[in-house]
């Protein structure tokens, strides 16, 4: 079977952080390396990047905190939102509950309460049972709702859906936190901008993703409600998320925002996921679980095809019980990568399915 396989694609479809660094980001890192600068964000690159993010989200007094990474940024954002006696409500597939080794629970001290999702999304009705916890001293007090935009299942909340969650959250004195590791992909998918999706809907704290969009490392926390930001800088430092040479995170932010590169990267990744879904969806034996909204393709295929394909071009299983896998595109994926990958899928799956 292996003989029939074409050469593997250059890009990895395992995840959108398998790609390297966007060339413009690398250039910006090199440019920021010109001589000394004060550490811990007291440098001109950090001031410029913080201003640019404030402007982008349209909240002039937003607190902007550069952090080392996504888990750390979520920890910082949530630690501003809740106390140890409170609860964070999120879906059971949320990165903060499944993929961060319990960091948000440990660092905030709060209880992370997973609720059932609908296609990866949190729906207001799912919050209802937990709202009865409020005011009952035996229960952790729901203090925040956390959603991922885009979701871990590659779905995207509409502006109205985010606004509806913000309304419920605020009506119950809760904070709405958004894990925006893929906020750029979500924005281009929904054809809207950050202000509309985040500020106008009532989001209180946003983790603004950079790494999956072409950065080497680093994410930013945007705190849109000044009263939540009072302890922000201390919380970030205590959580180990204040980068010493912060200018190098900041330079990446500026490079990605310049000329809306961050959106162009996401647009490319999303479009290539559509191409991939079309190509692999045409292979008998492969079923694309749902049309891609962002840069991930979820598909089921014969179980016997998975290991040989992984050996050829590695990717992660998604739900082994259902023989479901996830393939992801990124800013550096090319059309050729997609076509080669799909050809490999066909070469492995076709003999298993037969004519
Ligand atoms: C939804 C989501 N949130 C956050 C992260 C960031 O995690 P990390 O700590 O690996 O940067 C990821 C990365 O996979 C993610 O998919």
């Amino acid at each position: 079977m292996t003989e029939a396989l074409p050469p593997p694609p250059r890009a990895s479809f395992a995840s959108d952080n398998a790609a390297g660094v966007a060339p413009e980001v690398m250039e910006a890192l090199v440019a920021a390396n010109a001589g000394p600068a004060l550490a811990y964000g007291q440098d001109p690159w950090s001031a410029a990047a913080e201003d640019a993010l404030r402007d982008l989200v349209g909240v002039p007094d937003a607190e902007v905190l550069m952090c080392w990474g996504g888990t750390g940024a979520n920890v910082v954002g949530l630690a501003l939102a809740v106390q140890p006696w409170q609860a964070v409500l999120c879906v059971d597939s949320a990165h903060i509950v499944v993929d961060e080794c319990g960091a948000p629970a440990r660092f905030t001290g709060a209880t992370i309460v997973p609720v059932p999702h609908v296609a990866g999304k949190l729906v207001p009705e799912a919050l209802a049972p937990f709202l009865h916890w409020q005011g009952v001293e035996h229960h952790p007090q729901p203090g925040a709702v956390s959603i991922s935009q885009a979701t871990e299942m590659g779905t995207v909340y509409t502006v109205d859906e985010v606004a509806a969650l913000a309304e419920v959250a605020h009506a119950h004195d809760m904070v709405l936190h958004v894990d925006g590791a893929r906020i750029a992909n979500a924005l281009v998918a929904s054809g809207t901008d950050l202000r509309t999706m985040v500020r106008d809907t009532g989001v209180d704290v946003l983790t603004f993703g950079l790494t999956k969009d072409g950065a080497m490392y680093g994410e930013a926390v945007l705190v849109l409600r000044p009263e939540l930001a009072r302890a922000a800088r201390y919380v970030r430092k205590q959580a180990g998320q204040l980068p010493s040479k912060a200018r190098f995170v900041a330079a990446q932010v500026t490079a990605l925002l310049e000329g809306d590169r961050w959106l162009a990267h996401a647009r490319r990744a999303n479009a290539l996921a559509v191409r991939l879904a079309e190509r692999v969806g045409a292979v008998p034996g492969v079923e694309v679980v749902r049309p891609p909204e962002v840069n991930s393709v979820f598909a089921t295929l014969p179980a016997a095809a998975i290991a040989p394909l992984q050996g050829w071009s590695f990717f992660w299983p998604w739900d082994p019980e259902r023989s479901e896998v996830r393939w992801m595109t990124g800013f550096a994926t090319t059309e050729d990568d997609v076509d080669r990958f799909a050809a490999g899928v066909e070469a492995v799956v076709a003999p298993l399915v037969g004519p």
Side-chain angles (χ1 to χ4, degrees), residues 69-71 74 95 100 152 179 181-182 212:
T71 298
N74 282 340
H95 203 264
E100 298 185 355
E152 289 73 7
D179 175 350
R182 299 189 180 88
K212 297 176 194 308

Side-chain angles (χ1 to χ4, degrees), residues 19-31:
V21 178
E24 300 86 356
V25 169
M26 201 55 111
E27 280 161 25
L29 285 166
V30 172

Side-chain angles (χ1 to χ4, degrees), residues 8-23 185 212-214 264-277 279 294-297 313 327-342:
R10 212 168 151 267
S12 167
F13 289 83
S15 184
D16 42 4
N17 57 9
V21 178
N185 304 84
K212 297 176 194 308
D213 200 47
H265 287 175
R267 199 168 288 120
R268 167 168 199 85
N270 288 8
L272 287 173
V274 170
R275 183 183 181 104
L276 180 62
R279 298 283 192 280
V294 285
N295 58 328
S296 44
V297 175
S313 177
W327 295 319
M328 296 203 81
T329 54
F331 73 94
T333 313
T334 65
E335 283 78 2
D336 181 61
D337 290 324
V338 167
D339 296 350
R340 276 198 209 195
F341 189 78

